[in-house]
Amino acid sequence: MCKEEGKRRSSGQRWRNPGPGDGGSAPPPPPPVWNQRRACGIGVGGKGGFGARAWTWKVGIGERGSMLTVLRVHLPSEIPVVGCEITPYVLLRWPDGSISNDDVPESAPLNGYCMRYKWYRNLGDQKVAVCSVHPTEQATLQCLVCLKEKVPIAKSYHCTPRCFSDAWQHHRSLHERAKKAANENGTDEEEVFGRFNSSGSGSFNSGLSGIAPNLLQSPGLNNGPISVYPTTVADKSGEAWSEVSRSRTYTPTADDINHVLKFECIAVDVETRIPVGNVNTVLTSRVIPAPSPTPRRVVPVNGDLLGQLDLDGRTSSGTFSVLSYNILSDAYATSEAYSYCPTWALSWPYRRQNLLREIIGYHADILCLQEVQNDHFEEFFAPELDKHGYQALYKKKTSEVYGGNSNAVDGCATFFCRDRFSHVKKYEVEFNKAAQSVTDVAMTAGQKKVALSRLIKDNIALIVVLEAKFSNHGTDNSGKRQLICVANTHVSVHHEHKDVKLWQVHTLLKGLEKIAVSADIPMLVCGDFNAVPGSAPHALLANGKVEPLHLDLAVDPLGILRPTSKITHQLPLVSAYSSFARMVGVSPGLEQQRRRMDASTHEPLFTNCTRDFIGTVDYIFYTADSLSVESLLELLDEENLRKNTAIPSPEWSSDHIALLAEFRCKPRIRR
């Protein structure tokens, strides 16, 4: 799926006085006045700039230039969600006259001034029941079995009979889990349903069993210091507000659901503690619980068709699981590209938490993620997944084409569970360098310039060799090191450059062949190949060659695919999800998955679903002589996704779906 590269300002950047070019002409500041405006309905939630937002202008005592002054305040999203932090945008004029969005905390004052922040919850709002699946909808029915089994009350509500019917499979599992927890006498309801849900919050946990409690507390549930005795204040209209935080950033909790929040900020004299200037206030919409998509199940394909497996606790000692997932970079997640997705669900603070919840819930041993921004890897995914036992490796795209913020450059991230694997070796593939090598050998200077302009796309691949810490029961490899090679890539998106896509895939496979010759180990090739089933790149991966008359080979202006007989590889690769099509047997789960497969290509009907495109571009390939597929993560139903037009949506935070396969190593046979 083609995405527009977005340019963004980095945090902490300083500017001249605002004016034309800052996302809209900035009017001169009005006279000092106490003002508050509700964010709801004012167009809040854009991806940057100073457009039509809920902001306030406050220029008071600080106008004379020696004090700290707040110029603007607005919120990043119009709807706050439980568990997703809110960091208001606060634009300041510093004492030296410069303008910045840097914070000025009490620990690092400027000219004796600092900022003071407070968050309040409206106490006058009436609580109304909201749907556990569609939290922006009011509930019209309630499941009485949930009340009997002591399921958290917020999970018992649905907006329509159709909503209840569609969610029944997942909803029934809540009854079973609650009953099981009650029988075990030691399992706290909070452990089963998640900390955010235990007080009736809705469904942050999303029903994925086995999520560790610390996921539900991180990041950012440290909402700063609050008074020992909660402070309740009344505004000019007489509405009562309870103070909930004294931090600039606030993460809504279950207690905030259906309540409006108020953010206040003001400059303060550090010595006297006296505020200077006017209080700047902005209000949110009502807080909603996080949506709760039905958890995806794992379907066995190894002949054991006795039922479907839950995600937690399914991996036996001799198997391992691999996840491949394009998570949609924030730089591409614009309202222009995905106008059907609510802006609050498209915001990165919401999506990152929803993605993390989903990824952790799969309990995969190896994670291959694509479109992971450099700053998001370092500041979020690496530290958060580290808490769950994953070691991280990352390769950022090269940036010869992209000219925006270097922090917003995305790349491929591979994580592996430290308890199950250790890191042996890492290879980085830069297709730009490969292009330089190809053009250096066979082209004149003039040809080379033209060729590089076509071949250089900044795409990369990350190859990791891991050593298994678990034993391989049933094989003859006992006592020997069990190595596994995992390739993670994101191939060029340019649809008209079919030759470039095929060349990149071929380059990657030739590199993997060299590793296979030296090590003779099982191999996995995962990623977003931006190639549909039947295309030349897919044919090369699945068949080891491309037929000479394939239509894609007609696009070769540089001659890099000639002779076509050289576009081959010797790895015995098979697509993991083709196991659904090849499996013989009858089970409800398997039959349902077959209906979601393309009978002619033996691939899923789609892995990428937007308003303008639906198709399969993501794959997990494996060497069939050394690995066998034990089970696969179920595919999603298009009709269900189309209820929200497409993805991303409040339930699913990427325009791609995650793929997961569980493998078992076979007895070693020399290739």
Side-chain angles (χ1 to χ4, degrees):
M1 180 64 193
C2 185
K3 305 178 183 75
E4 181 181 352
E5 298 271 358
K7 295 184 179 180
R8 59 196 57 230
R9 297 184 177 94
S10 61
S11 176
Q13 187 171 354
R14 298 177 65 183
W15 298 280
R16 54 181 167 70
N17 288 335
D22 291 328
S25 299
V33 61
W34 191 93
N35 184 24
Q36 68 178 32
R37 302 176 70 183
R38 179 159 298 187
C40 180
I42 309 182
V44 186
K47 302 293 288 183
F50 304 143
R53 306 275 201 295
W55 62 46
T56 55
W57 283 84
K58 296 292 175 293
V59 181
I61 299 173
E63 279 185 300
R64 59 180 180 264
S66 61
M67 296 183 184
L68 191 63
T69 307
V70 179
L71 296 179
R72 294 172 176 172
V73 180
H74 73 80
L75 299 173
S77 176
E78 76 273 30
I79 299 180
V81 183
V82 169
C84 300
E85 69 179 21
I86 311 169
T87 303
Y89 183 90
V90 181
L91 190 66
L92 303 173
R93 176 179 287 123
W94 286 11
D96 63 3
S98 61
I99 293 175
S100 172
N101 65 348
D102 275 346
D103 193 10
V104 183
E106 187 176 0
S107 59
L110 278 175
N111 283 21
Y113 297 95
C114 68
M115 290 301 301
R116 176 187 292 169
Y117 307 105
K118 288 185 181 181
W119 283 91
Y120 296 92
R121 179 192 305 129
N122 191 313
L123 298 180
D125 289 352
Q126 289 187 342
K127 287 227 173 188
V128 294
V130 295
C131 177
S132 61
V133 179
H134 307 101
T136 56
E137 301 294 329
Q138 187 170 340
T140 62
L141 57 88
Q142 184 177 26
C143 174
L144 298 180
V145 179
C146 284
L147 301 182
K148 178 182 176 182
E149 300 295 347
K150 297 184 178 179
V151 172
I153 190 169
K155 288 183 175 289
S156 66
Y157 293 117
H158 291 269
C159 54
T160 64
R162 176 66 184 273
C163 169
F164 184 59
S165 174
D166 290 344
W168 174 245
Q169 182 182 12
H170 167 51
H171 192 90
R172 183 175 56 184
S173 70
L174 299 180
H175 302 163
E176 295 167 354
R177 288 164 54 203
K179 186 178 296 184
K180 180 181 178 182
N183 292 336
E184 290 177 354
N185 292 330
T187 306
D188 189 279
E189 185 183 80
E190 184 177 284
E191 295 177 45
V192 178
F193 293 100
R195 191 172 304 275
F196 281 122
N197 296 324
S198 59
S199 59
S201 70
S203 41
F204 184 82
N205 190 336
S206 183
L208 287 170
S209 56
I211 292 184
N214 61 337
L215 169 63
L216 300 176
Q217 299 171 19
S218 62
L221 267 193
N222 176 15
N223 281 322
I226 58 174
S227 304
V228 176
Y229 302 101
T231 303
T232 300
V233 298
D235 61 20
K236 292 183 177 181
S237 65
E239 285 191 281
W241 298 84
S242 175
E243 183 180 328
V244 292
S245 173
R246 293 188 180 179
S247 173
R248 178 173 177 176
T249 296
Y250 180 68
T251 303
T253 68
D255 295 332
D256 297 318
I257 291 178
N258 281 312
H259 290 283
V260 171
L261 301 175
K262 177 168 66 175
F263 172 71
E264 288 185 353
C265 66
I266 191 170
V268 175
D269 187 302
V270 174
E271 290 187 4
T272 64
R273 316 295 297 171
I274 297 175
V276 294
N278 297 294
V279 176
N280 300 262
T281 305
V282 62
L283 277 68
T284 72
S285 299
R286 294 176 185 269
V287 177
I288 64 170
S292 176
T294 301
R296 296 168 66 185
R297 290 181 174 270
V298 171
V299 180
V301 294
N302 62 354
D304 178 12
L305 298 176
L306 296 179
Q308 297 178 342
L309 303 177
D310 285 324
L311 284 162
D312 55 323
R314 73 177 195 290
T315 304
S316 63
S317 59
T319 65
F320 66 95
S321 55
V322 179
L323 175 83
S324 183
Y325 196 6
N326 180 327
I327 64 169
L328 179 58
S329 166
D330 185 46
Y332 309 143
T334 64
S335 295
E336 292 75 23
Y338 304 102
S339 58
Y340 51 84
C341 183
T343 53
W344 62 266
L346 204 55
S347 68
W348 181 241
Y350 173 77
R351 288 204 310 118
R352 72 176 188 179
Q353 201 63 38
N354 204 33
L355 287 165
L356 183 64
R357 171 207 54 78
E358 181 188 359
I359 292 167
I360 291 298
Y362 292 133
H363 303 279
D365 299 309
I366 301 171
L367 310 173
C368 294
L369 306 182
Q370 302 88 43
E371 287 195 21
V372 181
Q373 281 185 201
N374 184 50
D375 53 346
H376 295 164
F377 172 78
E378 294 177 353
E379 298 169 9
F380 183 73
F381 284 110
E384 288 300 317
L385 288 170
D386 177 71
K387 298 174 185 176
H388 295 274
Y390 288 97
Q391 184 170 328
L393 297 164
Y394 182 71
K395 173 59 182 173
K396 182 172 69 172
K397 281 184 181 177
T398 46
S399 53
E400 294 182 46
V401 176
Y402 177 68
N405 184 348
S406 61
N407 284 327
V409 175
D410 66 279
C412 294
T414 299
F415 301 83
F416 61 89
C417 186
R418 285 188 293 263
D419 291 341
R420 309 213 75 214
F421 292 97
S422 58
H423 177 221
V424 177
K425 198 161 188 179
K426 170 185 173 184
Y427 302 89
E428 296 182 347
V429 179
E430 295 184 1
F431 294 115
N432 283 5
K433 287 185 178 179
Q436 292 281 358
S437 300
V438 168
T439 55
D440 283 344
V441 171
M443 296 185 181
T444 65
Q447 292 173 325
K448 181 177 179 180
K449 184 176 181 180
V450 173
L452 289 179
S453 67
R454 186 175 183 87
L455 291 177
I456 289 183
K457 303 297 180 190
D458 289 340
N459 300 93
I460 53 88
L462 175 61
I463 303 172
V464 179
V465 178
L466 304 174
E467 180 177 356
K469 294 183 178 180
F470 52 87
S471 60
N472 245 342
H473 298 305
T475 73
D476 60 358
N477 297 338
S478 57
K480 297 180 181 178
R481 297 175 72 193
Q482 178 61 69
L483 300 179
I484 296 170
C485 180
V486 183
N488 180 9
T489 191
H490 190 184
V491 172
S492 174
V493 72
H494 299 279
H495 301 295
E496 67 278 12
H497 292 174
K498 293 180 172 62
D499 54 325
V500 178
K501 291 176 188 284
L502 181 57
W503 172 77
Q504 288 184 351
V505 172
H506 184 243
T507 299
L508 172 61
L509 292 172
K510 300 311 286 186
L512 290 173
E513 273 189 329
K514 294 178 182 178
I515 298 173
V517 169
S518 62
D520 188 34
I521 57 178
M523 290 199 165
L524 293 158
V525 187
C526 309
D528 176 357
F529 291 84
N530 276 306
V532 298
S535 64
H538 180 266
L540 179 61
L541 284 159
N543 305 323
K545 63 179 181 178
V546 182
E547 294 298 330
L549 298 180
H550 196 290
L551 293 178
D552 286 0
L553 296 180
V555 181
D556 186 20
L558 303 178
I560 56 174
L561 305 180
R562 293 193 288 268
T564 57
S565 58
K566 74 176 182 179
I567 308 298
T568 63
H569 71 87
Q570 301 302 315
L571 299 173
L573 295 178
V574 175
S575 175
Y577 271 79
S578 66
S579 299
F580 274 148
R582 297 195 313 270
M583 190 64 196
V584 177
V586 178
S587 80
L590 188 56
E591 287 303 315
Q592 183 186 60
Q593 295 310 302
R594 282 185 181 138
R595 291 194 295 271
R596 297 173 184 176
M597 297 286 292
D598 186 318
S600 61
T601 64
H602 289 184
E603 294 288 3
L605 291 174
F606 69 90
T607 63
N608 181 203
C609 178
T610 68
R611 182 174 52 198
D612 305 317
F613 173 83
I614 184 166
T616 294
V617 294
D618 306 273
Y619 307 94
I620 299 176
F621 282 91
Y622 67 99
T623 47
D625 63 341
S626 55
L627 295 170
S628 62
V629 181
E630 296 288 300
S631 57
L632 295 167
L633 183 66
E634 69 176 349
L635 298 167
L636 294 178
D637 177 55
E638 180 185 356
E639 182 182 357
N640 190 44
L641 297 183
R642 290 300 186 191
K643 293 174 185 175
N644 294 301
T645 302
I647 50 177
S649 67
E651 289 78 20
W652 306 103
S653 288
S654 175
D655 56 345
H656 294 247
I657 66 171
L659 302 179
L660 180 144
E662 182 185 7
F663 296 97
R664 185 182 298 276
C665 294
K666 291 181 177 180
R668 185 173 299 175
I669 300 173
R670 184 74 188 179
R671 292 193 186 104

